[in-house]
Amino acid sequence: MTLNNAKFVIKVPASSANLGPGFDSIGVALTLYLTLEVEKSEKWECYSKSEELKDLPTDEQHFICQIALQTAAKYGKELHPCKIKLESDIPLARGLGSSASAIIAGIELADHVGELGLTKQDKLLLSTEIEGHPDNVGASLYGGLVIGSYQQGEVDIIPITAISFEMVAVIPKESLLTKDSRGVLPTEFSYSNAIQASSTSNVLIAALLSQNWELAGKMMEKDLFHQPYRKPLIPFYGDVENFAKTEGAFGVALSGAGPTVLCFCEKGKGRLLEQSIQSTFPEMAAKLLSIDYTGSSIFTVNNCTAN
């Protein structure tokens, strides 16, 4: 391992999963970011000025460090301790992929410091094994819109960057843990329901790729996999959905497991939608987001050379 004294930065985008019927298989990278500024140190240190991160562990027990150490150990490497400054504008436990971005950051840290030489496919498989599904981690790693499948220890993903729309995230103050949100889901589906649910997901992808926004929004509403069970946990969902659609949103869906609600609109229409939602729902934060097309990246602080 040869880590010089130069600082480097790891930048990982947030993500939203499912987009309605694409349960555990469709994700999109968002323009919110987790950023790590890393330098060689005598011991593991993590610190942050971000309000949501300041109470997390400050040593190697930090989740990102644990992911990095576990990843390196998998390849028989020991990582040199690092001092890590963390900044993030990704809200925790709000359905915006904060854990997935941390997993990707940890794997990128291990790969760079430990000189593991991992390919993107390697990183995707590692992160999917940890997360359990490829939608959030795939989006944070590749950027763009991703469609993925994880079966029998193999993960396949298609990242799509030739697509453009805007989103307004409606973020409540209250958090919702994924494990609690998953607890309301059924354990099995009937054959006919499975066909109907999967066909809805298929049409969603076709509608998005063909820019048939109205149809895409219709498919988001027809989800059978998770939203019918999770919406009761989100008491404001119906009000936000109805209002956003009257203000120009072509579709509305839970972001991941919630409680954030994502309102989709054509490019150029997001700012007015954001303003109208914020005015009508002042108790929540309305945030205009775009698609991040880069995914995770590493660059040195001195010359900003991307790796």
Side-chain angles (χ1 to χ4, degrees):
M1 201 286 301
T2 56
L3 177 65
N4 59 32
N5 292 322
K7 293 181 181 179
F8 66 94
V9 172
I10 300 172
K11 187 176 182 181
V12 185
S15 60
S16 181
N18 305 328
L19 278 66
F23 187 63
D24 280 0
S25 61
I26 300 174
V28 61
L30 306 173
T31 49
L32 295 170
Y33 297 94
L34 169 66
T35 305
L36 285 64
E37 189 174 287
V38 186
E39 60 184 317
K40 184 178 178 179
S41 180
E42 293 302 314
K43 61 179 181 178
W44 286 99
E45 290 183 75
C46 297
Y47 66 101
S48 178
K49 294 181 180 178
S50 295
E51 188 66 26
E52 289 196 275
L53 302 183
K54 67 179 185 180
D55 294 329
L56 298 177
T58 58
D59 56 12
E60 66 270 18
Q61 294 305 311
H62 192 285
F63 181 67
I64 291 174
C65 297
Q66 286 293 297
I67 294 295
L69 291 167
Q70 292 167 17
T71 300
K74 190 179 181 75
Y75 291 88
K77 294 287 187 76
E78 290 188 16
L79 296 185
H80 194 291
C82 296
K83 182 178 181 180
I84 306 170
K85 179 183 178 183
L86 295 135
E87 300 297 341
S88 179
D89 49 16
I90 309 173
L92 301 181
R94 298 299 197 284
L96 291 166
S98 58
S99 63
S101 63
I103 290 168
I104 295 297
I107 293 172
E108 295 284 20
L109 178 64
D111 183 46
H112 189 74
V113 175
E115 297 182 330
L116 304 182
L118 300 179
T119 64
K120 275 204 170 182
Q121 182 64 30
D122 293 332
K123 296 172 186 176
L124 176 64
L125 181 57
L126 286 166
S127 59
T128 301
E129 288 173 343
I130 297 167
E131 183 83 339
H133 39 89
D135 45 7
N136 289 108
V137 291
S140 287
L141 180 63
Y142 285 90
L145 179 76
V146 298
I147 301 97
S149 174
Y150 180 47
Q151 300 180 53
Q152 299 175 332
E154 294 186 357
V155 59
D156 298 289
I157 204 164
I158 300 292
I160 297 165
T161 55
I163 189 170
S164 182
F165 50 79
E166 293 178 336
M167 297 149 281
V168 176
V170 185
I171 309 168
K173 294 182 175 67
E174 300 79 12
S175 62
L176 179 63
L177 297 178
T178 301
K179 65 181 181 66
D180 295 331
S181 191
R182 279 193 178 264
V184 301
L185 301 181
T187 56
E188 58 184 28
F189 252 33
S190 71
Y191 190 74
S192 59
N193 279 350
I195 292 172
Q196 186 177 347
S198 63
S199 67
T200 302
S201 181
N202 293 340
V203 175
L204 170 66
I205 291 299
L208 288 172
L209 295 182
S210 61
Q211 298 184 41
N212 188 333
W213 306 125
E214 182 179 356
L215 181 57
K218 180 181 179 181
M219 293 302 104
M220 289 178 185
E221 288 184 29
K222 287 183 174 291
D223 166 53
L224 296 178
F225 283 125
H226 75 114
Q227 291 186 141
Y229 309 99
R230 287 171 164 169
K231 283 180 183 179
L233 302 177
I234 320 293
F236 55 86
Y237 184 95
D239 291 339
V240 170
E241 179 183 36
N242 293 333
F243 179 79
K245 288 169 68 177
T246 64
E247 295 294 311
F250 66 76
V252 177
L254 277 179
S255 184
T260 293
V261 176
L262 215 55
C263 306
F264 298 79
C265 61
E266 295 177 52
K267 191 173 182 180
K269 296 183 178 181
R271 184 61 67 191
L272 287 177
L273 179 61
E274 176 196 43
Q275 292 170 353
S276 60
I277 290 176
Q278 188 64 81
S279 177
T280 305
F281 301 93
E283 71 280 8
M284 294 183 281
K287 193 168 187 65
L288 174 61
L289 302 173
S290 299
I291 300 174
D292 172 278
Y293 297 102
T294 302
S296 61
S297 59
I298 301 179
F299 54 90
T300 59
V301 172
N302 295 336
N303 57 18
C304 295
T305 302
N307 290 332

